[in-house]
Amino acid sequence: MNGSDPTQSESQSQPEKGSEHESVQDIRAERLMLDRAIGGWRGLFDSGAPTLVFVIVYLITPDNLQIALWSALALGAAIAIVRVIRKDSLQQVIAGLAGVAIAAAFSAWTGRAENFFLPGLLTNAAYGSAFLISILVRWPLFGVFLGFFTGTGTKWRAVTEYRRAAAAATWIWAGMFFFRLGVQLPLYLGGAIGALGVMKVVMGWPLFLASAYFTYRLLQPVHNKLEASKSEE
């Protein structure tokens, strides 16, 4: 007589429903990340197109900076109109158009094509410094964000696992901003407009989304535990 329990073998042959459900949730969250950040793959194209147009037009007509600037602005405005028609997030529409306008203003004001990229460089330096300083003073920004969004305050600081996860996530973003700066600043100083434009696009949203993905993977368990501890109180 076989002493094995049929119910035990049946349960072993079937996947755990809880883990399957978590996997589905993870997949959905990852698929929504791109849409929430920039409006999907169309948003990814929209964000890089004005920069590429500026670079291409400037390389064709290097003696006329205004043509390149107005071409980028015109495309940025056209994209904004299309996004409004598509009923995209107004925040995405304004942010995209404002970014192009500010970059064009810097370049037009100084008369230097490379200054089209100066606002981005300054932004990377500012954000990178903020994330780095927060780590050095032992208040990593992602820990602060976690405490705020979960309503648990500074509880994350009391648990070593949470502190380390928050610091690691903050390092990801500090590294991303300084990596951009380290690659693009020499190109800016050397006046390499074509290479700088390509690097801005390649290291823009794709690198941002990669950092967001790894941050999500790092902090999701901590977020769930903080939410669970809050409900137990």
Side-chain angles (χ1 to χ4, degrees):
M1 182 177 179
N2 190 350
S4 61
D5 187 351
T7 60
Q8 181 179 1
S9 61
E10 182 179 356
S11 64
Q12 291 175 348
S13 63
Q14 296 179 350
E16 295 181 6
K17 293 183 178 180
S19 60
E20 182 181 357
H21 179 65
E22 291 174 359
S23 177
V24 170
Q25 284 184 332
D26 288 344
I27 293 172
R28 287 175 179 172
E30 292 157 13
R31 289 179 61 185
L32 286 173
M33 185 180 296
L34 182 61
D35 288 330
R36 289 176 177 175
I38 56 173
W41 291 108
R42 288 180 303 184
L44 183 62
F45 169 80
D46 293 349
S47 64
T51 297
L52 288 178
V53 166
F54 169 79
V55 171
I56 292 171
V57 174
Y58 178 77
L59 291 178
I60 295 174
T61 59
D63 296 330
N64 197 329
L65 176 61
Q66 297 299 320
I67 294 178
L69 293 176
W70 281 112
S71 298
L73 282 171
L75 181 58
I79 289 173
I81 293 172
V82 172
R83 285 185 141 193
V84 170
I85 294 173
R86 288 198 316 234
K87 297 182 179 180
D88 287 352
S89 166
L90 187 60
Q91 180 181 358
Q92 294 172 359
V93 174
I94 295 175
L97 184 57
V100 177
I102 292 172
F106 265 74
S107 184
W109 181 51
T110 60
R112 298 178 58 189
E114 57 267 38
N115 282 344
F116 185 86
F117 305 96
L118 184 57
L121 294 173
L122 295 176
T123 300
N124 284 318
Y127 279 121
S129 298
F131 279 98
L132 180 59
I133 291 172
S134 74
I135 296 170
L136 295 178
V137 299
R138 299 183 180 275
W139 279 87
L141 283 176
F142 273 101
V144 178
F145 297 157
L146 269 178
F148 176 78
F149 287 112
T150 60
T152 56
T154 59
K155 188 174 182 179
W156 60 274
R157 286 178 57 82
V159 182
T160 302
E161 176 191 357
Y162 300 169
R163 289 201 312 272
R164 288 175 177 172
T170 306
W171 270 117
I172 289 175
W173 290 86
M176 182 200 71
F177 288 120
F178 283 121
F179 179 50
R180 285 178 177 174
L181 200 61
V183 172
Q184 295 176 24
L185 183 58
L187 297 175
Y188 168 81
L189 296 175
I193 306 300
L196 184 55
V198 171
M199 286 297 102
K200 179 177 175 61
V201 174
V202 171
M203 303 179 75
W205 280 114
L207 196 57
F208 178 93
L209 291 172
S211 300
Y213 173 80
F214 288 115
T215 301
Y216 168 78
R217 282 303 194 184
L218 263 175
L219 295 184
Q220 185 199 26
V222 177
H223 176 272
N224 292 343
K225 290 177 182 177
L226 285 172
E227 288 287 357
S229 66
K230 184 175 65 172
S231 62
E232 291 173 0
E233 292 178 352

